[in-house]
Amino acid sequence: MELRKILALLLLMLSLSAAAQDDLLSELENDVIDNTPTFAEATFKGSRIINGHSIITRKKKSLEFLISHRFGKINTGAYNFFGIDGANVRFALEYGISNRLTVGFGRNSFEKTYDGFAKYNLLRQQKGDLSIPVSVTWFSSTAIKTLKAPDQAQVVQTSFSQAVYSHVLLIARKFSPAISWQLMPALVHRNQVLEGEPNDKFALGTGGRLKLSKRISLNAEYYHQLNPSTNNPTENSIALGVDIETGGHVFQLHLTNSQSMIEKGFITETQGNFFKGDVHFGFNITRVFN
Amino acid sequence: MKNILFLLLIFCSINASSQSRYITKNGHIQFFSEAPLENIDANNHQVAGILDLTKNEVAISLLIKSFKFDKSLMEEHFNENYLESDKFPKASFSGSFQSKEVINPNKNGSYPVTVDGKLTLHGVTKAIQTTGILTVAKNQVIAKTKFQISIKDYNIKIPTLVIKNIAEIVDVTVELPFTLETK
């Protein structure tokens, strides 16, 4: 009797050890693979959600060429071909100095504005031994308008005294392969303002994407001004769009009440009332060269 | 009866004391395919594995996100669109190997082996069979093998738009430098 019990126990031990060896793979994965940190990649398809930047920086040594258009207001009717007649264009080149640091330069036809920016990826969302719930990127830009004042047609009024500096902290989380969301507190500093206007304007933006398929996503973006001007009120920027990815290109098509494609413009100078139909059709096309 | 008991006890103790497991955390697996427009060359240098020389068993596991490409955009598409690494973060192999000669871990030498097992990729598990070579050196076993997989078998879909860019058969080259497990 006693012997049988021992025998049974031994058999049990043997079978247990056999099961353990069958699970060589799960042992391996528990010990090594499951603790290896992994980063959230491609939180957004593009370096822009719509008008504003996303946390995405270009990878090292890759160059992105961006062509963006914002047409006139759709509610100007058939005479202006629903806004298509009045196009604003921005051409830009953006380059990844490292995987975290991107610099860019752009030229806007709107008010003949030049802009230069740098964005740096401070934190990357990751899982594993160390868990970081969000990705964080810092963005700073300088914009200078070179449009001649109408009464000084011969004099070019361009100097840094007119420069506008924008700083945005981009905080994003990829919740699932389909859903990413971003918050962006922003500060726009204007060197020269009309009387009674603040030099510093603060705003809080939010935006996100919902992937409808592997290559198409629905995007939305909103910037809320925290200290709007009382004398010269402007609208909060609203934008809705679709991203379509085809190999090396990303096409972004959108509707927005902002005419400008850079921070200082769409955050502090948006004129259109989205809900009264002051909506511009626009697109961004990006091409990445490695 | 007592004899059997004794035998079982010996069995158990052999099991516990055998020092025949070899491990690696920095194995290398390469995916390579030649396609009409561009070659795909992805390398993962963080492959983990366990090799058991008494049981002739092997297990390999890796993270899809650890595959590196020269072109960052290719790497993004590989993860986002093809392998869907958020949904299926790991790929693994577990199986056994057979050698004609008995593998002596204390003697340097090379042993051709046949490997049988299950490969899991993109959430699909398939039985595969391949041949390889185990090279035994002091406290080290280097395992090398090369085989082909068809991406269709693993339910990896390629849109017709980019079908020319991507080959349907991928060469998988494996090199795993196992070292003796120390406890």
Side-chain angles (χ1 to χ4, degrees), chain B residues 3 20 50 66-67 73 84 102 118 136-137 174:
Chain B
N3 276 346
S20 62
I50 301 183
S66 303
F67 275 103
L73 204 60
E84 300 178 90
V102 177
K118 288 181 289 186
V136 176
V174 183

Side-chain angles (χ1 to χ4, degrees), chain A residues 15-46:
Chain A
S15 65
L16 275 179
S17 76
Q21 267 127 33
D22 281 346
D23 275 345
L24 215 57
L25 183 63
S26 54
E27 184 192 332
L28 181 69
E29 291 188 337
N30 286 338
D31 287 356
V32 187
I33 292 293
D34 295 342
N35 299 324
T36 309
T38 57
F39 297 101
E41 300 286 348
T43 305
F44 294 97
K45 276 289 166 213

Side-chain angles (χ1 to χ4, degrees), chain A residues 50-51 67-74 82-84 86-89 239-243 251-261 279-285:
Chain A
I50 294 175
N51 289 314
I67 309 169
S68 309
H69 277 66
R70 298 292 182 276
F71 295 99
K73 290 175 186 170
I74 289 174
F82 304 97
I84 301 293
N88 286 305
V89 189
L240 297 171
V242 177
D243 282 7
F251 295 91
Q252 297 184 296
L253 311 175
H254 32 257
L255 294 171
T256 170
N257 62 339
S258 301
Q259 200 171 8
S260 173
M261 291 165 259
V279 174
H280 306 265
F281 171 65
F283 62 78
N284 304 334
I285 297 175

Side-chain angles (χ1 to χ4, degrees), chain A:
Chain A
M1 198 63 191
E2 192 67 10
L3 206 61
R4 262 197 209 161
K5 264 189 191 163
I6 293 172
L7 196 60
L9 204 81
L10 275 173
L11 275 170
L12 189 72
M13 270 171 71
L14 257 185
S15 65
L16 275 179
S17 76
Q21 267 127 33
D22 281 346
D23 275 345
L24 215 57
L25 183 63
S26 54
E27 184 192 332
L28 181 69
E29 291 188 337
N30 286 338
D31 287 356
V32 187
I33 292 293
D34 295 342
N35 299 324
T36 309
T38 57
F39 297 101
E41 300 286 348
T43 305
F44 294 97
K45 276 289 166 213
S47 58
R48 306 296 194 288
I49 295 182
I50 294 175
N51 289 314
H53 278 261
S54 71
I55 52 122
I56 299 294
T57 49
R58 292 269 63 90
K59 291 290 190 294
K60 191 179 177 178
K61 286 186 181 168
S62 65
L63 180 72
E64 182 175 57
F65 181 50
L66 257 111
I67 309 169
S68 309
H69 277 66
R70 298 292 182 276
F71 295 99
K73 290 175 186 170
I74 289 174
N75 63 0
T76 53
Y79 178 70
N80 281 326
F81 202 56
F82 304 97
I84 301 293
D85 287 352
N88 286 305
V89 189
R90 178 176 182 269
F91 294 105
L93 284 172
E94 304 186 0
Y95 181 71
I97 292 173
S98 74
N99 283 341
R100 289 177 183 265
L101 178 64
T102 296
V103 292
F105 179 76
R107 202 275 182 186
N108 306 263
S109 68
F110 184 66
E111 298 184 326
K112 304 193 189 301
T113 305
Y114 291 85
D115 67 273
F117 72 83
K119 67 198 276 202
Y120 188 80
N121 180 216
L122 299 161
L123 270 185
R124 293 169 78 191
Q125 183 183 336
Q126 72 171 64
K127 282 192 297 201
D129 269 351
L130 176 67
S131 170
I132 300 175
V134 291
S135 295
V136 178
T137 298
W138 178 270
F139 168 88
S140 284
S141 79
T142 302
I144 298 176
K145 161 174 122 174
T146 66
L147 186 70
K148 293 172 184 171
D151 56 333
Q152 295 168 312
Q154 304 307 315
V155 188
V156 183
Q157 284 279 323
T158 305
S159 73
F160 271 91
S161 66
Q162 287 184 318
V164 178
Y165 305 100
S166 306
H167 308 284
V168 189
L169 189 66
L170 310 158
I171 306 160
R173 175 164 172 83
K174 190 177 189 180
F175 286 96
S176 73
I179 298 171
S180 300
W181 206 261
Q182 185 173 287
L183 269 182
M184 41 278 192
L187 161 66
V188 178
H189 175 86
R190 297 148 331 149
N191 275 351
Q192 216 171 62
V193 289
L194 295 171
E195 224 175 287
E197 285 264 308
N199 284 95
D200 290 326
K201 285 255 225 165
F202 298 91
L204 181 63
T206 184
R209 72 118 187 245
L210 170 68
K211 262 171 113 177
L212 301 177
S213 75
K214 278 183 191 169
R215 288 171 184 78
I216 297 174
S217 78
L218 213 59
N219 296 10
E221 185 185 74
Y222 173 69
Y223 280 86
H224 187 84
Q225 300 176 86
L226 298 173
N227 58 338
S229 317
T230 40
N231 302 341
N232 186 18
T234 56
E235 296 285 332
N236 293 323
S237 175
I238 300 172
L240 297 171
V242 177
D243 282 7
I244 303 165
E245 188 193 31
T246 62
H249 293 91
V250 178
F251 295 91
Q252 297 184 296
L253 311 175
H254 32 257
L255 294 171
T256 170
N257 62 339
S258 301
Q259 200 171 8
S260 173
M261 291 165 259
I262 53 175
E263 280 60 27
K264 73 116 182 163
F266 64 80
I267 293 175
T268 67
E269 297 164 2
T270 293
Q271 298 294 335
N273 183 324
F274 194 87
F275 301 101
K276 285 187 177 158
D278 299 339
V279 174
H280 306 265
F281 171 65
F283 62 78
N284 304 334
I285 297 175
T286 73
R287 169 79 210 189
V288 176
F289 302 96
N290 274 280

